[in-house]
Amino acid sequence: MSIIIRGGTVVTADMTFAADVYCDEGKIVAIGDNLDVPENAECIDATGQYIIPGGIDPHTHMQLPFMGTVASDDFYTGTAAGLAGGTTTIIDFVIPAPGQSLIEAFHQWQDWASKSAADYSFHVAITWWDDSVYEDMGTLVNEYGVNSFKHFMAYKNAIMADDETLVKSFRRSMDLGAIPTVHAENGELVFQLQQEMLSQGITGPEGHPLSRPPAVEGEAANRAIRIAEVMNVPIYVVHVSCKESLEAITRARNEGQLVYGEVLAGHLLVDDSVYRHPNSEFAAAHVMSPPFRSKDHQAALWKGLQSGNLQTTATDHCCFCADQKAAGKDDFTKIPNGTAGVEDRLAVLWDAGVNTGRLTINEFVAATSTNAAKIFNLYPRKGSVSVGADADLVVWDPKGTRTISAKTHHQNIDFNIFEGRTVTGIPSHTISRGKLVWANGVLNAVRGAGQYVERPPFNPMFDALTKHAEVNAPTAVNSD
Ligand SMILES: C[C@@H](CNC(N)=O)C(=O)O
Ligand SMILES: [Zn+2]
Ligand SMILES: [Zn+2]
Ligand SMILES: [Zn+2]
């Protein structure tokens, strides 16, 4: 089955032009005016609409086993919901239990992800360290197409990586041509503040943000960035939620350090008043880490995106329903952390970003797709509208409207942090690997149609780092 998209305007991260786009055998085959294509090609009329690269969400956790339960959106339902929202590739996380073989965990996640409706890739978390972890990192890069390793600086007594693990893993990542990424919250401080909140009788969801103030994130972000600077490795900070970590990133980037920042759609649009809501179930539904912040932090995050100091947007899609969140009804530290977003990211960013003039349509494409593809070495196969790229495309209707609600969304969760928000700008069609899977409100996601996407190591940023290391190599006195 081939598809011809006629009458639209192609929008990439750096160009906007009228053209038809022809896809066949899962690839973009031709881009141009009035293309001559086979009669039996399925035709999509994109008049008055944009043709953009399929969204890439570099941060999801489908069916994650976490805090005594399992995230309610699995790899099929979660990727299907993503397709309905214009996201055609996710980068999820293999998170080995401390002591678990990284390779065994990798296969476990691969087995779970085989039901995906859209393409997927994996960051692998380094949650412990010994020689086998060192070896397995090499196997994952050289044999399994992993080029990014995640480090949780939070979650003490669970998956938290201490400084020794960060230093050893950052060095190994660099040698392998893989980029280290961090969840930057100081887990020791979180743990201490959690105990203090509980001892003061603050057991409700309002204790969650009180135990993770912005300084807790800023300290960890700065520490990780400084460690990366000393080790001469690139670093990607996930879910930057506050001024403090944005400042740490901005300072380093102004010094020429290779630091990348990711912001969640939720952190740009939802503020911390949700935790003071009289309905504790409503408040608990918003418990995720880092927590939603006050409006001044949101304003700073938008400037971070506009200035280019934050490069990607994501969702950290990690769903837990009310009955799962209730595990923490008497102790907020037991509320499973996480919420949804994979279906709404593009629409809420278009509505709050493009419709307000904060982002150009090209910056929107960069922030929802192309930048993640470049940083994680998927470009131009993903994140581009170019001949030879995978036919992952969205026909975007800038005038279409939708009111977001848990009652109508496709995500397998009974809550939506964007509930009631009416957005202008929605995907009218989503094409995943050349198949029309979303068309005018009808979802035709296919269980298992998604494929694992390998990501090669040594993306171009490593050339610069290697030269920097050579030029600044230390020398011994007697070597003169
Ligand atoms: C465990 C995972 C999802 N939960 C969350 N962000 O609150 C993460 O910390 O990114
Ligand atoms: Zn397996
Ligand atoms: Zn995280
Ligand atoms: Zn996460």
Side-chain angles (χ1 to χ4, degrees):
M1 168 59 76
S2 63
I3 293 177
I4 176 70
I5 307 170
R6 290 205 187 281
T9 300
V10 172
V11 180
T12 69
D14 39 28
M15 286 190 297
T16 304
F17 57 97
D20 296 349
V21 179
Y22 178 61
C23 313
D24 194 14
E25 304 281 313
K27 297 287 186 184
I28 297 174
V29 172
I31 300 170
D33 294 335
N34 302 317
L35 294 178
D36 186 13
V37 300
E39 275 301 302
N40 65 350
E42 183 170 4
C43 182
I44 297 174
D45 178 1
T47 306
Q49 300 187 60
Y50 297 117
I51 303 165
I52 62 176
I56 299 172
D57 190 336
H59 192 153
T60 63
H61 300 280
M62 302 307 177
Q63 67 188 89
L64 174 69
F66 191 56
M67 295 180 73
T69 185
V70 178
S72 55
D73 236 344
D74 67 26
F75 276 95
Y76 170 58
T77 57
T79 51
L83 291 171
T87 287
T88 53
T89 301
I90 63 169
I91 308 182
D92 207 284
F93 292 82
V94 174
I95 306 180
Q100 180 185 19
S101 147
L102 273 61
I103 304 303
E104 178 193 295
F106 183 81
H107 279 298
Q108 189 177 336
W109 257 265
Q110 282 284 23
D111 294 347
W112 290 338
S114 58
K115 63 173 89 74
S116 295
D119 284 2
Y120 58 93
S121 193
F122 289 121
H123 309 287
V124 176
I126 305 301
T127 58
W128 66 293
W129 189 267
D130 75 0
D131 291 347
S132 75
V133 173
Y134 177 93
E135 293 303 328
D136 287 352
M137 289 173 76
T139 305
L140 288 165
V141 170
N142 298 323
E143 295 178 31
Y144 293 125
V146 171
N147 75 15
S148 48
F149 290 105
K150 172 74 171 290
H151 306 78
F152 291 95
M153 299 170 76
Y155 306 125
K156 178 180 170 64
N157 299 329
I159 55 178
M160 184 173 101
D162 63 13
D163 283 7
E164 179 183 3
T165 299
L166 294 182
V167 166
K168 288 178 174 172
S169 178
F170 282 23
R171 170 57 62 234
R172 181 60 167 156
S173 298
M174 181 67 191
D175 293 346
L176 292 168
I179 183 167
T181 80
V182 289
H183 171 135
E185 288 184 295
N186 182 313
E188 298 294 348
L189 284 174
V190 170
F191 185 74
Q192 177 66 24
L193 293 177
Q194 285 178 332
Q195 305 317 308
E196 290 177 7
M197 291 304 136
L198 293 172
S199 66
Q200 292 165 38
I202 300 174
T203 61
E206 71 278 14
H208 181 70
L210 294 171
S211 61
R212 318 175 91 99
V216 165
E217 180 184 332
E219 184 281 330
N222 190 60
R223 177 160 37 105
I225 289 167
R226 286 295 191 180
I227 291 172
E229 177 192 8
V230 171
M231 313 263 330
N232 187 47
V233 303
I235 188 165
Y236 178 93
V237 184
V238 307
H239 49 46
V240 174
S241 79
C242 63
K243 286 184 261 188
E244 286 77 356
S245 32
L246 177 58
E247 282 159 11
I249 292 170
T250 304
R251 181 206 58 77
R253 287 179 62 87
N254 288 342
E255 293 296 315
Q257 192 178 338
L258 278 177
V259 180
Y260 301 98
E262 169 194 282
V263 61
L264 304 185
H267 282 135
L268 287 165
L269 293 157
V270 178
D271 69 70
D272 60 356
S273 61
V274 296
Y275 298 116
R276 310 297 297 182
H277 196 284
N279 177 328
S280 64
E281 201 175 280
F282 176 89
H286 290 86
V287 166
M288 66 158 299
S289 296
F292 297 111
R293 306 290 189 187
S294 52
K295 289 190 184 300
D296 56 319
H297 291 284
Q298 283 178 2
L301 293 174
W302 275 111
K303 290 194 169 36
L305 207 46
Q306 290 170 291
S307 65
N309 283 311
L310 296 173
Q311 292 76 32
T312 65
T313 61
T315 62
D316 203 355
H317 187 87
C318 188
C319 299
F320 298 105
C321 296
D323 58 339
Q324 295 173 286
K325 293 279 189 176
K329 66 181 174 18
D330 302 320
D331 173 354
F332 69 87
T333 68
K334 295 190 170 49
I335 299 172
N337 285 205
T339 188
V342 77
E343 183 171 356
D344 302 317
R345 175 175 63 116
L346 269 64
V348 297
L349 283 170
W350 183 278
D351 192 55
V354 175
N355 291 348
T356 61
R358 285 175 166 135
L359 297 175
T360 67
I361 53 179
N362 308 99
E363 289 167 338
F364 169 83
V365 168
T368 57
S369 181
T370 305
N371 287 352
K374 289 180 174 176
I375 292 167
F376 295 112
N377 218 12
L378 285 169
Y379 187 81
R381 174 186 173 190
K382 301 287 188 187
S384 81
V385 181
S386 59
V387 173
D390 288 355
D392 293 345
L393 294 162
V394 173
V395 179
W396 190 265
D397 177 359
K399 295 188 172 46
T401 65
R402 170 173 163 252
T403 298
I404 295 172
S405 172
K407 296 184 189 65
T408 53
H409 69 201
H410 296 83
Q411 299 166 135
N412 186 27
I413 179 174
D414 54 4
F415 193 83
N416 191 309
I417 59 173
F418 306 115
E419 184 73 33
R421 181 183 292 263
T422 297
V423 292
T424 301
I426 56 174
S428 63
H429 299 75
T430 303
I431 295 164
S432 170
R433 276 190 180 266
K435 294 271 187 308
L436 182 59
V437 291
W438 169 258
N440 300 316
V442 177
L443 183 57
N444 282 307
V446 175
R447 187 184 183 92
Q451 296 179 31
Y452 174 63
V453 182
E454 298 200 353
R455 292 179 286 118
F458 293 108
N459 106 353
M461 74 176 86
F462 284 89
D463 296 342
L465 285 161
T466 305
K467 288 188 180 59
H468 182 270
E470 284 161 7
V471 166
N472 297 286
T475 56
V477 167
N478 56 21
S479 65
D480 293 341

